[in-house]
Amino acid sequence: MISLFGLVAGISQPFTGAVIDRLNRRKPFVVGGLCLLAAATVAFAVASQFFHALIFRAIQGLGLAITIPPTMALLTNTTKQESRGGSMGIFSTFRVASLAVGPLLGGFLHDHFGFNVTFFTGAGFMLLGALMVQIWVKEVRADTSPQEKKSFKIIDTSLLSPGIVSLGFATFVMALSFGMIAPLEQQFNSRLNETATAFGVAFSALMVTRIIIQIPIGHLSDRKGRKRLIVGGLILMAIATIPIGLVTSTWELAGLRALQGIASGAIAAPAFALAGDISSSGGEGRQMSIITMGFGFGIALGTLMAGVLAVIAFALPFWVSAFITFIAAWVVYHNVPETINQSASPD
């Protein structure tokens, strides 16, 4: 059920990106996607079979796919290159903060007010977000010529530049690496003789670290360049992932998760900003959806791969993930351009 969300979101996002590029509209899709997410979340309260939960989870994935590409396109269209890294850092910080706060709030509501209240509250936040977007976010249209509109293609290979595809691969391996421990909670608890709370602390170390550093790293990418941060983040992610399957204490696991948080912070905001820098006018939805699709597929495949490979050897999924991450660092280094002129950037 966890993987299905990422798979549906990942598969759907390129098509959503194509639709918003074709219609040259962003805001209605953000609002509509949030409303669909809210409806699917409320539906969990009436699910009586696992199959129902799978359907509602798939609808949630579709809602995310409708929401994220136009959000990224709006961010690309409304930010300037010289400050885009900082703006993407703020966006990424809120995105990660939600992953940290959501489980804590959900657990509190479940324990004190009941199972269904968690879903009603989550849906309420989504509807509040939709209302805020409707009131405060202005529609931004890309500048496209009549010829570009006439020759529009849903799948336009000319938009799949080496830089965009490589950045999508980078976000894919980032999510793959840090998402792998989620389905192995019971195994970690047994191997480390730890409680669920202790695992939760170690698991959240990545999010806490990333919340602290994401905005500063975004601003740093505006001053010193984006590419070197992404490559360095991928290398650090690989180094931090290799020993996770060999840890002997909760503190070791928490420390490595914190390093993964630093690494993901160095990858995410600079990658979003760089993709915005090199995206084409009128193709932002399709091109930015490649980056966000990589993240969704990474979460989905990471959880599946961890469950399969850990049966062979517990450390194996982390070694495989680290190897793929080293490859991603090489791919980004060779295929992604640097868009920040360091000599012209402010100190």
Side-chain angles (χ1 to χ4, degrees):
M1 186 169 66
I2 294 174
S3 297
L4 184 63
F5 176 79
L7 287 172
V8 172
I11 292 171
S12 304
Q13 284 182 62
F15 297 98
T16 303
V19 172
I20 67 173
D21 284 342
R22 182 67 181 89
L23 299 178
N24 204 2
R25 301 286 300 276
R26 284 98 164 90
K27 181 177 172 178
F29 288 91
V30 179
V31 174
L34 286 169
C35 290
L36 182 60
L37 273 165
T41 302
V42 168
F44 274 97
V46 298
S48 59
Q49 299 179 19
F50 180 69
F51 178 69
H52 297 160
L54 285 178
I55 293 175
F56 299 145
R57 189 64 170 161
I59 296 174
Q60 280 188 321
L62 181 60
L64 183 72
I66 294 173
T67 304
I68 293 299
T71 300
M72 300 304 298
L74 275 171
L75 284 168
T76 299
N77 292 139
T78 57
T79 55
K80 298 180 180 179
Q81 179 174 320
E82 57 267 24
S83 60
R84 185 170 288 137
S87 299
M88 292 297 185
I90 295 171
F91 171 77
S92 296
T93 298
F94 274 96
R95 188 174 181 177
V96 174
S98 68
L99 296 175
V101 174
L104 294 175
L105 180 60
F108 174 82
L109 292 172
H110 177 272
D111 291 341
H112 292 83
F113 300 101
F115 184 73
N116 290 343
V117 173
T118 60
F119 300 110
F120 297 146
T121 303
F125 276 118
M126 293 171 197
L127 293 175
L128 176 62
L131 180 63
M132 293 171 68
V133 171
Q134 181 63 36
I135 295 174
W136 286 317
V137 175
K138 295 181 179 180
E139 178 65 274
V140 178
R141 296 176 182 267
D143 295 327
T144 55
S145 65
Q147 181 61 32
E148 288 175 321
K149 293 180 179 179
K150 186 176 180 180
S151 60
F152 181 88
K153 299 177 181 177
I154 293 180
I155 301 177
D156 191 344
T157 55
S158 66
L159 298 176
L160 300 178
S161 65
I164 289 292
V165 174
S166 298
L167 290 172
F169 185 41
T171 58
F172 167 77
V173 299
M174 175 190 72
L176 180 82
S177 297
F178 70 61
M180 299 191 79
I181 77 168
L184 301 177
E185 176 180 356
Q186 293 184 2
Q187 287 77 7
F188 273 109
N189 291 347
S190 176
R191 291 167 66 91
L192 304 181
N193 192 27
E194 64 181 7
T195 64
T197 301
F199 178 84
V201 170
F203 185 87
S204 299
L206 180 146
M207 302 175 203
V208 172
T209 305
R210 186 166 162 184
I211 289 172
I212 294 172
I213 70 165
Q214 187 66 92
I215 294 177
I217 284 183
H219 287 302
L220 183 64
S221 75
D222 290 330
R223 297 172 56 238
K224 300 299 183 181
R226 318 200 197 283
K227 178 177 175 178
R228 63 173 64 185
L229 285 170
I230 299 170
V231 173
L234 287 167
I235 293 173
L236 178 60
M237 179 66 78
I239 293 173
T241 302
I242 291 173
I244 287 181
L246 304 174
V247 295
T248 58
S249 71
T250 299
W251 294 114
E252 290 177 0
L253 180 60
L256 292 173
R257 289 288 289 178
L259 286 177
Q260 284 189 320
I262 296 173
S264 63
I267 298 167
F272 289 145
L274 206 160
D277 293 343
I278 64 177
S279 62
S280 305
S281 179
E284 296 94 344
R286 283 165 290 177
Q287 289 182 305
M288 297 304 289
S289 71
I290 298 298
I291 314 302
T292 55
M293 178 182 68
F295 183 89
F297 277 142
I299 293 293
L301 186 59
T303 53
L304 286 174
M305 191 169 78
V308 173
L309 296 182
V311 175
I312 302 172
F314 188 72
L316 182 59
F318 303 102
W319 295 345
V320 172
S321 176
F323 177 73
I324 298 173
T325 306
F326 276 125
I327 293 176
W330 181 87
V331 168
V332 170
Y333 179 79
H334 283 278
N335 293 301
V336 176
E338 179 56 79
T339 56
I340 299 298
N341 184 353
Q342 295 177 46
S343 61
S345 61
D347 291 329

